[in-house]
Amino acid sequence: MTEVKDRVGNVTRHRYEQLVAQAKELISQVARAQFTLGDMALEIEPMRPVGGSVPHGTEDLFTVAESLQIFADDIGVERSTVEDWRYTANRWPKDKRMEGVSFTVHRILASVTDEDERWAAVHDAPLNPRTGARQWTPDGAKRVVGQRVDRPVTLDEKVAAVADLTRDDEVAAQVATDLLKRPKVSEHVTPAERKRVVTELTRDDDTAQEVTRDLLRRPAVARSTMRDDTTRMLVNRAQFDNTAESREKIRDRVPAVRKIEHTLEYVDLVGSCHGFVATLGRLVPKMRGQQFTDDERDTVRRQLARVRGAAGGVGEVAHAVACPGGESVSGAGSGSGSGSGSW
């Protein structure tokens, strides 16, 4: 274990520190070279205000892009590299450049708008948690200017990195599926968010049916759900509709069922008429000569009107069945009011 701590990669700690010192000197040389190249590009094409570029190239004049492209081609680099050198050199005058700080960090800090803040920022290196020393790194500079870091450390940085990687809907769906398989992850999802996610995922009717069926198979869920009056009413209505639909399918497949239902309904109708007549035959004689209040008489008249209407409906149905296309029975139910005058 001690041997591992005393070595970095394939070299000893002492040799590693020697290499780091040499590398820093080389980085300083590279930074000076890049700034010098940027100064050269500025000499060829000084920075101009927006809209201050020279007209499109003629025999004697080139645009900024054309001039920098020629320079880039002649030294064998991309024009974007030359533009990067030029921009950074312009943002950092020679007396403001920090020795020992890489050109990359200078380029990132160049986006600080206020000059005084920019000059102060380069002197205020952040703390490196690994070494415990204040030193600049590209990610440290990006944190200062609010850019996306390459190696996220904080929770916000990691969330931002994940969001950037999951902009594609298919990738996001796969990642979300995998994450929600972790019990500790799903525990942190609020009930409101869970409800919203389930609602979004069950917009398709087939999926909603499958999910609802699975959920209602849990006794506790079903019991709690059915306590809601609206839900209970909708479930009862759905059961009624399903029963009617099933009955209609059976009628279509088995014609004899219609005859059986007709017989049962006919018997029920005749029995109801018989019971009604029998009840009236028993009650009316007992109530003859009794005194009724105005409210009672009005109530009886209203009920008699309903009886006449119901009896008329029965007569029309019976006539339509016996004589399809024939005239309606006239005076249907007219006999039902017999004895009403004595009331």
Side-chain angles (χ1 to χ4, degrees), residues 159-219:
V159 170
V162 171
D164 189 53
L165 293 172
T166 55
R167 292 186 184 277
D168 180 79
D169 288 343
E170 293 184 3
V171 175
Q174 185 63 48
V175 170
T177 301
D178 293 341
L179 290 176
L180 289 175
K181 290 178 181 178
R182 305 180 185 177
K184 291 186 177 180
V185 173
S186 59
E187 287 176 2
H188 291 285
V189 181
T190 64
E193 282 297 311
R194 294 181 187 181
K195 180 181 177 181
R196 185 184 64 80
V197 170
V198 171
T199 301
E200 289 294 328
L201 294 176
T202 55
R203 291 189 180 278
D204 175 73
D205 287 345
D206 292 337
T207 304
Q209 290 172 10
E210 187 67 28
V211 171
T212 302
R213 185 164 48 247
D214 291 342
L215 291 174
L216 290 177
R217 286 173 180 166
R218 304 179 188 176

Side-chain angles (χ1 to χ4, degrees), residues 91-106:
R91 300 289 283 177
W92 291 97
K94 292 182 180 180
D95 60 331
K96 299 298 182 181
R97 299 168 188 173
M98 185 74 172
E99 185 68 25
V101 177
S102 70
F103 184 84
T104 300
V105 170
H106 279 89

Side-chain angles (χ1 to χ4, degrees), residues 253-273:
R253 295 175 184 175
V254 186
V257 171
R258 291 187 180 272
K259 295 182 179 180
I260 296 173
E261 287 182 340
H262 169 73
T263 301
L264 294 174
E265 291 167 354
Y266 167 75
V267 172
D268 193 19
L269 176 61
V270 172
S272 297
C273 291

